[in-house]
Amino acid sequence: MAELATRRSALDGHVPADHIGEPGAVGVNLAVTREVQLWQVAAWPDTVDAVAKAVGSVTGAQAPGPRLAISGPNAVALRVEPLKWWILNAEPPTVASEQGAVVDLSHARTQVTLSGPAAADCLMRHLPLDLREESFPVGSVASTAFHHVGVTLWRNDAGIAVFLPRGFALSLWQLLLETAAQFGARAQID
Amino acid sequence: MIRIHCPFCGERDHSEFAYGGDGSVVYPALDASAEAWHDAVFLRENIRGLQVETWQHVNGCRQWLRVERSTVTHEITSVQACHPGVATVLESEQ
């Protein structure tokens, strides 16, 4: 039974240890986060202010506005939709059902963070977004389609984090590895 | 390529959106005649010029949007959230 209790990433066993593609170059680093804790906090149109306050009380900062993430002293919140926030790696606030809804997405998304000089180029081979630093700076959040699958992106100090729906994670990961090979790449999971 | 200026996400490619349909149709009451429902469901103007349409930003913020688009030039003159409550939230945050 212990086997059942052990959390497994959708990409466990699919992360190559060796250098990928173009010899000698590391244009892209792909880092898979094994233990993601992700909560979605949703509001009704007339309770947005109250739920924003609840989100802020968990992160210790103001709740982010459209297309933004704000890192507080306690946690990070991403604004993913007009009525929805994501809280990363922290316990969610208590929200009464008249005010909104809190959903655990920890097992629903697989987080991959791309860094290195060609990280944005690699992703832009697939996404219809301008991810260069001047148009997608640190703290930016966007949702878009990756090979017809909805994904959410967040640029932070470590690189560009991509949240892949778990069921599609392996397929999209294989596409990412194939694309990263032209720049030279390394992958890791931790 | 059509680009739609989503009130939440900003300017985005057509590939992220799904077309809904004619946004100007006012549906009759549930107990209205079959004829009134037939007209609302099937009869459409073939407009040359500015048309009101619904689009869903399905691979973005997932909102339904009311878009005014020219069928001649593809020029989009206005975009807003269909849900009046969401539209108010987005206006207050601009």
Side-chain angles (χ1 to χ4, degrees), chain A residues 14 89 110 120-121 130 144 167 171 189:
Chain A
H14 300 279
N89 304 324
T110 299
D121 272 345
D130 182 355
T144 186
S171 169
I189 180 165

Side-chain angles (χ1 to χ4, degrees), chain A residues 45 67 79 81 142-144, chain B residues 8-9 12 16 59 61 89 93:
Chain A
R67 303 186 296 278
R79 182 75 172 274
E81 286 179 34
S143 291
T144 186
Chain B
F8 182 79
C9 301
R12 293 299 187 88
E16 293 183 359
N59 281 312
C61 62
V89 169
E93 289 189 295

Side-chain angles (χ1 to χ4, degrees), chain A residues 13 32 34 39 42 45 58 70 79 88 108-109 116 124 157 165 169 183 185:
Chain A
V32 181
R34 195 180 263 122
W39 291 90
V58 169
I70 292 183
R79 182 75 172 274
L88 253 183
R109 295 292 187 283
M124 287 192 294
D157 292 328
F183 305 104

Side-chain angles (χ1 to χ4, degrees), chain A residues 44-46 48 64-67 79-85 109 128-129 141-145 148-151, chain B residues 3 6-13 15-16 57-63 83-86 89-90 92-94:
Chain A
W44 298 105
D46 55 354
V48 166
R67 303 186 296 278
R79 182 75 172 274
V80 291
E81 286 179 34
L83 307 177
K84 285 175 193 155
W85 285 268
R109 295 292 187 283
L129 290 179
V141 172
S143 291
T144 186
H148 307 282
V149 177
V151 300
Chain B
R3 283 192 171 157
C6 170
F8 182 79
C9 301
E11 192 179 33
R12 293 299 187 88
D13 269 24
S15 62
E16 293 183 359
H57 197 184
V58 61
N59 281 312
C61 62
R62 298 184 186 165
Q63 299 304 301
H83 191 295
V86 173
V89 169
L90 291 175
S92 69
E93 289 189 295
Q94 285 311 308

Side-chain angles (χ1 to χ4, degrees), chain B residues 13-86:
Chain B
D13 269 24
H14 165 256
S15 62
E16 293 183 359
F17 296 85
Y19 181 70
D22 189 333
S24 68
V25 176
V26 179
Y27 289 96
L30 283 177
D31 57 359
S33 67
E35 200 171 76
W37 269 101
H38 170 275
D39 291 359
V41 172
F42 294 109
L43 295 191
R44 293 289 179 271
E45 299 290 336
N46 189 12
I47 293 170
R48 183 179 186 281
L50 215 56
Q51 170 167 282
V52 178
E53 301 170 336
T54 55
W55 288 78
Q56 190 191 12
H57 197 184
V58 61
N59 281 312
C61 62
R62 298 184 186 165
Q63 299 304 301
W64 277 97
L65 305 172
R66 183 186 178 280
V67 176
E68 270 187 310
R69 180 182 69 94
S70 166
T71 58
V72 180
T73 63
H74 287 319
E75 188 190 358
I76 288 170
T77 47
S78 83
V79 184
Q80 63 180 105
C82 287
H83 191 295
V86 173

